[in-house]
Amino acid sequence: MSSKSGSTCLYLGIFGALIVGTIITVWVAMGIDLGRPGNIALGIIIACVKASLVALFFMHLKFESKLIWGAALLPLVLFLIIVFALMPDIGNGTTLKRGPAVPVEHKGH
Amino acid sequence: MSEHAVSEAVYEVQHERAKFGMWLFLASEVMFFTGFIGSYIVLRMNNAEAMLKDQDQIQMTLHLAVINTVALILSSLTMAMAVKSAHDRKQVATSAYLFATIMLACVFMVVKFLEYQAKFDHGLYPSSSPFFSCYFTMTGFHGLHVLAGIVALLGILGGSMSGAYTNGHYRPVEITGLYWHLVDLIWIFLFPMLYLL
């Protein structure tokens, strides 16, 4: 067969790491104040680590050819390009400013 | 070279090409969500105060989002185990893990429905504010991807139960697994982005 298959222990370990990452993300966001930039940075870093674990082991990217690595990494490059391309739109007053939503009282059934 | 060896070599090439094709499709799906995420970043940084007030509304159902996150991560595990079982030619295990994945996906959809209902009960709709426009658009499209995944998994489960993957040709299971893991991957970013950060 072309694809290598991971072991059950490996998959369970990755699952455990994903759950721990989720717990840490929620705990830091709700319980620890690192300042907004700090919380955002840590949240993104943990999300990237979790995504990497899923891609490398659950999706078997670790064992794939360079061609598939290229297909997998291309959207990351394009994502970074889009995010940086949007930078001029931030803070220049062109985005319509709207207030928050106004919730109504709970509707009973 | 025997006929069997030639046939296996041809299958191997097709297998690699199918995986490459699926990875290209997954790349296009990532770009699809990149558009929404880029919009969210601009709106969030230009309307920070209002968006954060709306995020407080979202956090009232944070417990439901955490349940959904755990359900999807667990479904990724069961999907990986299903692919491994199909690779090892274990029909019963493959079918069981696929069934578990589908059940966890259904849990996700039910909880998402309850979340949406809670929002609608409080008069919060996609048109309520830029934040809720982003929230409903991104989670709505993600939910559609989950639904499509459930349909695909049901087809694969049918194949597994009829013994289609017991001869070592488990490509459909692996390809569907790749799609399902992407659905989990997208939620791994959506959950903190919309609910926590």
Side-chain angles (χ1 to χ4, degrees):
Chain A
M1 280 304 107
S2 62
S3 299
K4 294 188 174 65
S5 174
S7 69
T8 303
C9 286
L10 172 68
Y11 289 152
L12 287 173
I14 298 298
F15 170 72
L18 293 173
I19 293 295
V20 167
T22 303
I23 291 171
I24 292 174
T25 307
V26 176
W27 177 49
V28 169
M30 305 305 289
I32 299 178
D33 186 14
L34 301 173
R36 187 145 291 279
N39 278 353
I40 290 174
L42 187 60
I44 290 174
I45 288 170
I46 293 175
C48 289
V49 169
K50 287 165 68 179
S52 300
L53 288 175
V54 171
L56 286 171
F57 296 101
F58 282 170
M59 297 172 88
H60 297 152
L61 189 58
K62 191 170 184 287
F63 310 110
E64 296 295 355
S65 63
K66 285 181 187 163
L67 188 62
I68 290 180
W69 269 95
L73 291 178
L74 179 63
L76 294 185
V77 173
L78 293 173
F79 175 82
L80 288 173
I81 290 173
I82 283 185
V83 169
F84 281 107
L86 289 168
M87 288 294 133
D89 285 328
I90 294 173
N92 64 358
T94 58
T95 304
L96 180 67
K97 287 197 185 296
R98 281 186 56 185
V102 180
V104 298
E105 285 184 12
H106 184 80
K107 296 178 190 173
H109 289 290
Chain B
M1 212 174 181
S2 69
E3 242 182 67
H4 175 74
V6 169
S7 165
E8 284 302 310
V10 168
Y11 181 83
E12 194 68 25
V13 170
Q14 288 174 345
H15 194 114
E16 288 302 309
R17 286 179 185 166
K19 275 196 294 184
F20 178 64
M22 177 49 87
W23 274 103
L24 281 182
F25 171 66
L26 297 185
S28 75
E29 291 297 287
V30 168
M31 296 317 301
F32 176 75
F33 280 93
T34 294
F36 295 130
I37 290 173
S39 305
Y40 177 77
I41 290 173
V42 173
L43 285 169
R44 168 70 181 267
M45 296 187 78
N46 284 344
N47 297 283
E49 203 178 311
M51 298 279 267
L52 285 172
K53 278 196 181 130
D54 285 333
Q55 198 177 53
D56 289 340
Q57 300 287 338
I58 293 286
Q59 285 180 348
M60 290 168 71
T61 54
L62 179 62
H63 57 292
L64 294 179
V66 171
I67 291 172
N68 268 355
T69 304
V70 173
L72 268 188
I73 292 175
L74 190 54
S75 75
S76 243
L77 170 67
T78 54
M79 188 71 232
M81 291 303 297
V83 174
K84 175 179 161 54
S85 299
H87 174 270
D88 296 340
R89 307 187 189 201
K90 295 175 181 172
Q91 183 184 2
V92 173
T94 303
S95 301
Y97 283 122
L98 285 171
F99 181 75
T101 305
I102 293 168
M103 287 297 104
L104 287 164
C106 291
V107 165
F108 180 92
M109 292 309 300
V110 167
V111 172
K112 183 52 63 183
F113 170 78
L114 293 174
E115 258 198 284
Y116 275 23
Q117 196 173 50
K119 302 289 180 295
F120 296 155
D121 280 350
H122 284 87
L124 298 170
Y125 301 100
S127 57
S128 295
S129 71
F131 177 85
F132 282 102
S133 178
C134 291
Y135 169 78
F136 281 110
T137 303
M138 285 195 270
T139 58
F141 272 115
H142 179 263
L144 284 176
H145 280 75
V146 172
L147 271 176
I150 290 174
V151 171
L153 284 167
L154 284 170
I156 299 299
L157 176 61
S160 175
M161 289 172 72
S162 64
Y165 313 123
T166 51
N167 59 355
H169 291 181
Y170 66 105
R171 180 169 64 217
V173 186
E174 186 172 13
I175 298 299
T176 307
L178 287 176
Y179 174 81
W180 190 253
H181 292 308
L182 183 81
V183 168
D184 181 31
L185 252 174
I186 292 167
W187 185 254
I188 281 173
F189 284 100
L190 286 191
F191 168 61
M193 197 178 71
L194 292 171
Y195 290 89
L196 301 175
L197 302 180

